[in-house]
Amino acid sequence: MQQRMKEFPMENADVLSLLSRAQVGHLSTINSDGFPYTLAVHFVYEGGAIYFHCLPRGEKLDNIARCPKVCFEVDEMTGLMLEKMHNPCGADTAYQSIVAIGTAKILADDAEKRKILECIVRKYAPKYKGAEIPESRLHGTAVVKISIIRMTGKYHK
């Protein structure tokens, strides 16, 4: 286990708080050449799973169809810690970060997709909370669920 993880593990409440306020997460899949493929996504944490939406075609969905094992990361830098700095190697960063390992699947059920899209709207466009999601948008959008197998959080301050 990483040294910082041993010294500064996040409490579950802090993990949930970061997941609720973070605007961007990083999804890693394995591409067709066997290399990691990482990209930023908007997401929600709902009912113990991580969800994101995207276009219904693309490399990340191809990767998930081929291998559903994924890694998801969220971080928040809260400042630089320069007080004890006597040389460039003394600089440090205050942060919180979460890494989740899990399996991803594309949702097929329209009711489940709609529920998650409504959660995404509440998080990212709250003034449209409760507005109807048109059928064309529902069917023109993929929603992916990451079922978490293991999730850890660490901090430094």
Side-chain angles (χ1 to χ4, degrees), residues 14-34:
D14 294 325
V15 168
L16 297 178
S17 177
L18 179 56
L19 285 171
S20 71
R21 73 176 180 273
Q23 297 295 303
V24 176
H26 300 95
L27 173 73
S28 294
T29 61
I30 301 298
N31 73 12
S32 60
D33 295 329

Side-chain angles (χ1 to χ4, degrees), residues 45-46 55 155:
Y45 178 77
E46 183 70 26
L55 292 173
Y155 72 93

Side-chain angles (χ1 to χ4, degrees), residues 121-151:
V121 167
R122 267 196 314 275
K123 181 175 181 179
Y124 293 98
K127 78 178 198 174
Y128 295 106
K129 176 183 156 188
E132 181 65 27
I133 296 172
E135 288 295 315
S136 61
R137 290 293 185 163
L138 181 68
H139 296 292
T141 303
V143 176
V144 177
K145 176 182 182 179
I146 300 173
S147 297
I148 298 167
I149 295 169
R150 180 176 69 249
M151 182 164 56

Side-chain angles (χ1 to χ4, degrees), residues 3-110:
Q3 190 60 34
R4 289 274 158 106
M5 192 64 223
K6 289 179 190 175
E7 291 179 37
F8 303 104
M10 286 173 63
E11 298 292 327
N12 191 52
D14 294 325
V15 168
L16 297 178
S17 177
L18 179 56
L19 285 171
S20 71
R21 73 176 180 273
Q23 297 295 303
V24 176
H26 300 95
L27 173 73
S28 294
T29 61
I30 301 298
N31 73 12
S32 60
D33 295 329
F35 286 95
Y37 175 74
T38 302
L39 68 156
V41 295
H42 293 125
F43 72 97
V44 293
Y45 178 77
E46 183 70 26
I50 296 167
Y51 297 87
F52 65 91
H53 73 298
C54 57
L55 292 173
R57 279 183 259 153
E59 185 170 356
K60 69 181 161 289
L61 295 184
D62 292 344
N63 294 347
I64 289 168
R66 194 174 31 263
C67 177
K69 295 178 180 179
V70 298
C71 182
F72 189 82
E73 186 271 348
V74 175
D75 60 80
E76 179 179 67
M77 182 176 138
T78 56
L80 294 173
M81 302 165 60
L82 305 174
E83 311 77 53
K84 298 177 185 174
M85 189 172 154
H86 302 292
N87 62 56
C89 296
D92 212 341
T93 304
Y95 67 89
Q96 290 185 324
S97 68
I98 298 163
V99 174
I101 303 295
T103 55
K105 76 171 189 172
I106 301 163
L107 298 182
D109 179 69
D110 283 351

